[in-house]
Amino acid sequence: MNNLAILPIVLPLLASALVAFFPSKLNIVRKVSQALTVVFLIVIGYIAWLVFNDGIIVVQGGGWAAPFGISIVADYLSIVLVLTTYIIATAAIFYAPHSLSEQQEKFYFYTFYFLLISGVSGAFLTGDLFNLFVFFEVLLMASYGLIILGNGKAQLRESLKYVLVNLFSSMLFVTTIAFIYALVGTVNMAHIAERVEQVPAAQQGILTGIGVLLFFVFAVKAAVFPLYYWLPNSYVVPNPVISALFGALLTKVGIYSIFRVYTLIFVHDTALTHQQIFIWLAIFTMLFGVIGALSTNNVKLIVTYNIIPAIGFILMGIGLYSEDGLAGSIYYLMHDMVVKAALFLLIGALVVAAGTKDLSKMSGVIQRFPVLGWLFFLGTIVLAGVPPFSGFIGKLLLLRGALSQEHFLLTIVALLSSLLILLSMIRIFIRGFWGEKMEGITDNNRKVHALTIPAGFLLAISIFLGVGAEFVLPYVDTISTYLLDRSEYISAVLKG
């Protein structure tokens, strides 16, 4: 039964190898990829049910006991994020054939897609820092292949920047792991959490320095202010389905890593790391993200910039380091993964319908495609946190946590950012969908409708997260309580 925890990593890895043998058999590869993804989603749903009913599932690689073997840990937080990943992957795989050209599909899109899902799942599930680095590299290698699909000049330019930034952060990551190993003699996260409590007082400053350095690594990957400069154009140039996968998953792996490390390991000086550094960076990340979203008429870039304030909201809850704060971050993280993927897919459909990415050159699209228009409006109010949708539930918990600790500036900035997010997105609806019908709107209704259906599926999930909060919130509360008490994770990994 314990071996089930490895399936979210192994299944897509095997699928990537399978579809790589038949790149030119597109009809077969499409159908097989879609069928496998749906089966994988069902399997992951079953594993999530087991975790919440029977407890944490731990796999020790090669039969070696922790901390000597490789630990794969399906706990409450990781399995929820893996399940969310597979929900997004299911929508993406049905969107891809209608969005990608045949040439892009033949250049191993489906292989890279499964490798990306395997790498993301591995990063969520791994129990040691070195293998977190390894899974980062797996998902990054897949993303390198995906970002250049299409061979456009802009893609090549942005992919070079994307690769260089990630190479630098990866080198810094493995160097920081070496520092941690030199200090505590282990890379297993549960074992590190035990060992840091035994670090002499004279070396606490070194430990704090390592913690800040590791945060810098994850902040680059999560696009925290001011380290988000590489993200907007890198996520705009690929095909919309690839942008959706990147926007929903890649930065979330970075923020998950902050979640894991700074609720399990570096909790010895929360007054500095959480209450000071994280809170102030959350404020600036929210503000600068929405400023970017308001500064452009490129509809893909508007959605891309809105990734950044979402990271600020999640970091806000980690900084509060309270039950409400962590619960709000977890809820907002799940909400943002799903709704951001949906919005990228809807924007892809809008660009096909209007024939342009420039908001100043489109109008009246809703007259030809009303379903697309109203789904986009629904996605906008879900993203902005209008009651009773999922964004509202997460923000309510975060604001309650901030006010309970008298973080009034943080509360004001969070509320202001929410209004500016709504403003940035409602511009697209008012100027792009509403108004007089423009010339040049596509007559390919079938393609636009096919692109709309997967986004509608994700929006339905997002609406359930809000309207069904009474069902979802107890699970989120379980996760936040669990994160505040490190002993269950440590015991499950080291003594299970």
Side-chain angles (χ1 to χ4, degrees), residues 353-376:
T356 179
K357 299 175 185 176
D358 191 340
L359 185 57
S360 64
K361 297 178 181 178
M362 61 173 73
S363 67
V365 175
I366 200 169
Q367 296 179 42
R368 184 63 178 267
F369 301 104
V371 174
L372 173 62
W374 290 115
L375 281 177
F376 184 84

Side-chain angles (χ1 to χ4, degrees), residues 161-190:
K161 179 171 67 177
Y162 178 81
V163 170
L164 289 175
V165 168
N166 280 291
L167 281 176
F168 170 75
S169 65
S170 293
M171 287 190 293
L172 188 59
F173 190 5
V174 77
T175 303
T176 308
I177 293 170
F179 291 156
I180 293 172
Y181 186 80
L183 184 65
V184 297
T186 183
V187 293
N188 183 286
M189 286 191 278

Side-chain angles (χ1 to χ4, degrees), residues 27 35 55 98 102 118-119 142 183 205 228 236 238 248 275 307 315 323 337 381 386 407 471 478 480 491:
N27 285 332
H98 307 286
E102 287 196 2
S118 179
L183 184 65
Y228 64 83
V236 164
Q275 293 290 325
I307 294 171
L315 187 60
E323 196 163 315
M337 289 173 73
I381 61 176
V386 175
H407 286 290
F471 172 79
T478 297
S480 63
S491 177

Side-chain angles (χ1 to χ4, degrees), residues 8 16-17 54 108 117 122 138 154 159 167 205 234 247 253 262-263 280 291 339 342 373 393 412 422 446 472 482:
S16 70
D54 299 336
Y108 301 98
I117 302 306
V138 172
S159 65
L167 281 176
S234 298
V253 175
Y262 293 91
T263 57
W280 281 105
I291 289 170
V339 76
I393 307 298
I412 292 168
L422 178 61
R446 185 176 180 181
V472 178
Y482 159 78

